[in-house]
Amino acid sequence: MKNILSKLVLATGIALMLGSIGCDKVEGPYGVKSSTGGTDTTDTIVRKVLLEDFTGHTCQACPASHAEAQRLKAIYGDRLIIMGVHAGFFAKPQPSYNPPFPADFRTQVATDIATDFNVINLPFPKGMVNRLYDSGTGVQKILEYADWEVNVDTMLQRAADAGLDITNSFSSGDSMMTATISVTMVNNYSNQLNLAVYFVEDSIVSPQKDGTNNIMNYVHRHMLRGTFNGTYGESVGTGLTSGQEVTKTYSTKLTPTDAVVNQVYVYALLFDNVTKQIVQVEEKKLIP
């Protein structure tokens, strides 16, 4: 009888172990302890990943990429931060179309990003995940949306080198936004780090082409609307060390004038100024 019970316990243990191995993904937190010598063993700072979706309202294939971005958001939650970059030909207003697409969602910062990373003349949709740098070609990886998930998943397995914290305020009288960004280094980092701060508006209702269909009440998500401190921000230092903190404050006016303030978010991007790859990213609603 004792032998039978022992075998049952062993079989149950093996079944549970195999069941856990068969899971598609291991849930976070996705590490703060670096393989390069960091010593922080807490789980309070985790790596987050930026997905930039290059899109436009007359891009017939772009709703498929929007759907993929939202599918990934449902999987990864607040560890994945999405930004819709409206730029190039497909984002031009087309008032002569029937029906018309009169809105102009292009911005200088979106055009800069699409141009500087050589995306603007490509057929959309395209994307970048953390502006991943390909050391073989010396340029950023421009991805089809079918390749987003594997790259997001890979990046989330890496340790966080830094944490970001955002504190926002808004003055309704003059539409001025103020964002204070605190950078906390988890590990030593030799290259220069830059901090760029953007503002994004969510859930904008405006027409969108979807194949041969025209969706007049389409909901555009996570749309890049402007920047607090330029497309590529400013340096927060070179050779920053574990535990070092840097705080920056920026102010700018909310634009355009019809932006819905309760749908606006502040995005902070900390990136390597040599490779241009995102080191850490954070978002926070302008008005909680």
Side-chain angles (χ1 to χ4, degrees):
M1 184 68 173
K2 186 180 294 184
N3 288 338
I4 293 172
L5 288 172
S6 299
K7 289 178 181 178
L8 285 171
V9 170
L10 178 61
T12 301
I14 292 171
L16 288 171
M17 180 181 71
L18 290 174
S20 66
I21 292 173
C23 293
D24 290 334
K25 292 185 176 68
V26 178
E27 294 300 321
Y30 288 91
V32 295
K33 189 172 183 181
S34 170
S35 60
T36 58
T39 58
D40 189 340
T41 58
T42 70
D43 60 2
T44 56
I45 297 177
V46 296
R47 179 180 288 273
K48 296 188 178 183
V49 170
L50 177 69
L51 169 59
E52 290 167 285
D53 181 4
F54 293 90
T55 187
H57 56 179
T58 64
C59 169
Q60 297 180 355
C62 284
S65 74
H66 304 162
E68 175 65 2
Q70 292 307 121
R71 186 185 74 84
L72 296 178
K73 183 69 173 175
I75 294 172
Y76 297 109
D78 63 6
R79 297 177 314 231
L80 178 63
I81 295 174
I82 301 166
M83 187 165 72
V85 183
H86 291 245
F89 173 80
F90 295 108
K92 290 181 179 178
Q94 300 291 354
S96 62
Y97 277 24
N98 186 19
F101 288 77
D104 191 352
F105 296 128
R106 296 172 300 171
T107 60
Q108 187 60 56
V109 60
T111 300
D112 287 347
I113 295 168
T115 301
D116 294 343
F117 291 107
N118 299 312
V119 187
I120 198 153
N121 292 319
L122 297 178
F124 286 6
K126 290 291 186 290
M128 289 193 294
V129 172
N130 259 18
R131 299 180 183 172
L132 279 170
Y133 175 75
D134 188 332
S135 58
T137 62
V139 296
Q140 263 55 40
K141 293 181 179 180
I142 309 304
L143 303 168
E144 305 294 336
Y145 67 84
D147 297 321
W148 291 353
E149 182 172 9
V150 65
N151 284 276
V152 169
D153 201 60
T154 298
M155 288 303 302
L156 283 173
Q157 303 302 324
R158 298 184 183 180
D161 286 303
L164 294 171
D165 184 68
I166 304 173
T167 302
N168 298 321
S169 64
F170 180 70
S171 170
S172 58
D174 56 6
S175 297
M176 289 298 294
M177 304 179 290
T178 299
T180 297
I181 316 298
S182 296
V183 180
T184 301
M185 299 305 300
V186 176
N187 298 302
N188 298 337
Y189 205 94
S190 58
N191 287 351
Q192 177 181 314
L193 289 174
N194 272 36
L195 178 67
V197 185
Y198 302 155
F199 57 98
V200 168
E201 187 178 356
D202 194 31
S203 300
I204 297 172
V205 178
S206 186
Q208 170 73 48
K209 281 192 169 294
D210 184 359
T212 58
N213 297 321
N214 298 309
I215 303 177
M216 304 312 292
N217 293 312
Y218 193 84
V219 180
H220 296 267
R221 305 296 309 277
H222 321 290
M223 187 187 295
L224 176 58
R225 295 297 245 171
T227 174
F228 283 80
N229 65 343
T231 302
Y232 302 110
E234 66 170 327
S235 172
V236 293
T238 301
L240 297 177
T241 58
S242 175
Q244 188 170 350
E245 297 183 4
V246 180
T247 300
K248 299 283 186 178
T249 298
Y250 306 99
S251 294
T252 193
K253 182 171 257 188
L254 175 60
T255 56
T257 56
D258 62 351
V260 179
V261 66
N262 290 324
Q263 296 174 185
V264 173
Y265 291 75
V266 174
Y267 281 28
L269 284 63
L270 185 70
F271 66 92
D272 186 313
N273 197 47
V274 176
T275 67
K276 310 307 179 188
Q277 186 167 299
I278 303 294
V279 172
Q280 184 63 290
V281 61
E282 188 57 271
E283 67 174 347
K284 189 170 184 180
K285 202 169 185 183
L286 179 60
I287 299 178

